[in-house]
Amino acid sequence: MKLKALLVFVLAAVLVSACSVAFAADRKIVVGFAQIGAESDWRVANTNSIRTACEEAGFDLRFVDGQQRQENQIKALRDFITQGVDVIGFSPVVESGWDEVIAEINEAGIPLILLDRTTDIAGDNYFVTWIGSDFLEEGRKAGRWLVEYMQKTGRGRDEINIVELQGTVGSGPAIDRKKGFEEVIKDYPNLRITQSQTGDFTRDLGKTVMESFLKRGERIDVLYAHNDDMALGAIQAIKEAGLKPAEDVIVIGVDAVKGAFEAMLAGEMNVTVECSPLLGPQFVEAVQAIMAGKELPKITYSIEYVYSQEVTRRVVDGRQF
Ligand code: AHR
């Protein structure tokens, strides 16, 4: 009798644990994502890509739009810890000021994936993988394009005044796109940045700041904008000032969003350096690899190109962002 009772107990225990294993395998993977905001067409496309990929993968996605404020993102990250999500995805609005909250994520043992942007925390132990663009190289590409364009158009030795619209102060792309561009033009003393100010990656500020550059009355030969949204806002300001964008003022942007292609086809913008926002599928793959206990590379850069006015309507129509 005793043996029979024991057998029943063991059988029941086996059934209960089998059920809980099955539940664990069936349960949705819970992912918290702390996004920067919706400051640009790029960001909107990036958010759509993440949402769609996570939905297709069947994840339970907890998505928070930080509205470009660091404190909102810190709160979102702390909420994800409290909720005990399986994996956290994070795109930091600026590079500094994350030490404390990231230490909390690490202490909670939640794997962290950095998407698009990184932080200034030393070392790479605090995150599993980072997927994004090489912002420094994007800045260099913009600089190299300008040097070649000036030489090709016979202005290689002319004194050229460049105005710069920087991205969000303290953000990775603003720091690196500036650095990469300056690294290239420093070998050409006739190419000089005469005015430089932030437009916070938004179209409205791009326009306002360009208006203030123009009001100073100094000759402007080139506009280098750290993203296309600011370039598009600035193009508006250039036109309102009675000048021809892409002719009187050479316009360089970054991102390669559809709006920039349309501007190039209309002859109002010269070039855009690609920065791909379509990171959702790679993000999902990384989450799945983590959940399966697989190793991931520390860095994965997206493959990106430079597009100038020779771009065709077919390429533009086929563009996803
Ligand atoms: O981090 C990528 C940058 O952020 C994009 O270039 C810009 O448009 C966005 O807001």
Side-chain angles (χ1 to χ4, degrees):
M1 189 62 194
K2 261 189 183 170
L3 187 67
K4 219 174 169 185
L6 185 68
L7 277 175
V8 169
F9 175 76
V10 170
L11 198 64
V14 168
L15 274 173
V16 167
S17 78
C19 279
S20 61
V21 167
F23 171 74
D26 283 352
R27 143 181 117 67
K28 283 189 169 191
I29 295 172
V30 183
V31 176
F33 197 95
Q35 177 62 292
I36 292 173
E39 73 281 7
S40 59
D41 286 357
W42 189 100
R43 187 66 52 198
V44 173
N46 181 243
T47 292
N48 290 340
S49 173
I50 295 164
R51 280 191 189 279
T52 308
C54 288
E55 199 184 309
E56 283 170 4
F59 294 169
D60 172 358
L61 174 68
R62 321 261 165 101
F63 185 91
V64 178
D65 174 336
Q67 298 179 337
Q68 279 185 283
R69 299 177 78 98
Q70 183 167 36
E71 62 269 33
N72 293 347
Q73 286 199 297
I74 291 178
K75 182 177 177 318
L77 294 172
R78 293 213 163 106
D79 288 346
F80 295 153
I81 299 173
T82 312
Q83 292 164 23
V85 302
D86 295 311
V87 178
I88 292 180
F90 176 38
S91 189
V93 61
V94 290
E95 291 200 330
S96 60
W98 306 103
D99 306 61
E100 219 177 294
V101 70
I102 286 185
E104 290 167 30
I105 294 173
N106 293 160
E107 272 158 36
I110 303 175
L112 178 68
I113 300 175
L114 295 176
L115 201 74
D116 165 36
R117 298 190 185 174
T118 51
T119 80
D120 63 1
I121 297 176
D124 59 11
N125 286 335
Y126 68 96
F127 62 92
V128 181
T129 189
W130 168 52
I131 304 159
S133 305
D134 187 340
F135 299 132
L136 197 64
E137 188 54 22
E138 287 170 356
R140 290 189 195 117
K141 282 178 186 168
R144 283 187 214 118
W145 180 89
L146 179 63
V147 170
E148 277 168 30
Y149 184 79
M150 286 308 178
Q151 288 167 353
K152 219 167 59 188
T153 51
R155 297 169 71 187
R157 287 169 186 238
D158 290 4
E159 291 298 322
I160 301 296
N161 292 344
I162 305 166
V163 296
E164 180 184 36
L165 280 169
Q166 295 182 39
T168 303
V169 176
S171 70
I175 296 167
D176 287 347
R177 285 174 188 164
K178 179 170 185 55
K179 206 162 147 193
F181 185 80
E182 285 177 348
E183 200 182 292
V184 172
I185 66 161
K186 77 168 185 336
D187 294 333
Y188 304 86
N190 58 318
L191 303 181
R192 280 188 321 122
I193 298 182
T194 50
Q195 301 186 70
S196 178
Q197 211 177 300
T198 182
D200 207 16
F201 282 131
T202 68
R203 203 171 290 208
D204 286 355
L205 265 181
K207 179 170 188 274
T208 311
V209 177
M210 189 68 198
E211 278 165 1
S212 73
F213 287 163
L214 288 160
K215 269 192 195 127
R216 283 189 42 181
E218 296 164 3
R219 199 190 70 245
I220 297 175
D221 302 298
V222 178
L223 160 69
Y224 169 45
H226 290 187
N227 82 345
D228 288 338
D229 275 75
M230 293 189 295
L232 294 170
I235 286 172
Q236 203 50 41
I238 294 169
K239 290 203 279 191
E240 285 171 21
L243 296 167
K244 281 199 176 135
E247 285 182 33
D248 298 326
V249 180
I250 294 164
V251 181
I252 305 172
V254 181
D255 279 352
V257 294
K258 234 182 176 137
F261 283 116
E262 295 294 352
M264 288 196 293
L265 288 179
E268 294 185 340
M269 187 164 166
N270 301 77
V271 68
T272 179
V273 176
E274 188 174 33
C275 175
S276 176
L278 306 179
L279 305 176
Q282 279 169 284
F283 176 67
V284 162
E285 272 174 32
V287 172
Q288 285 166 335
I290 290 170
M291 295 307 284
K294 292 186 190 154
E295 286 277 314
L296 281 167
K298 271 289 164 190
I299 301 178
T300 308
Y301 285 128
S302 6
I303 299 164
E304 293 158 344
Y305 303 93
V306 175
Y307 296 92
S308 59
Q309 282 186 348
E310 289 85 56
V311 72
T312 58
R313 167 54 61 195
R314 206 159 60 86
V315 173
V316 181
D317 289 343
R319 206 71 190 155
Q320 286 181 58
F321 58 96

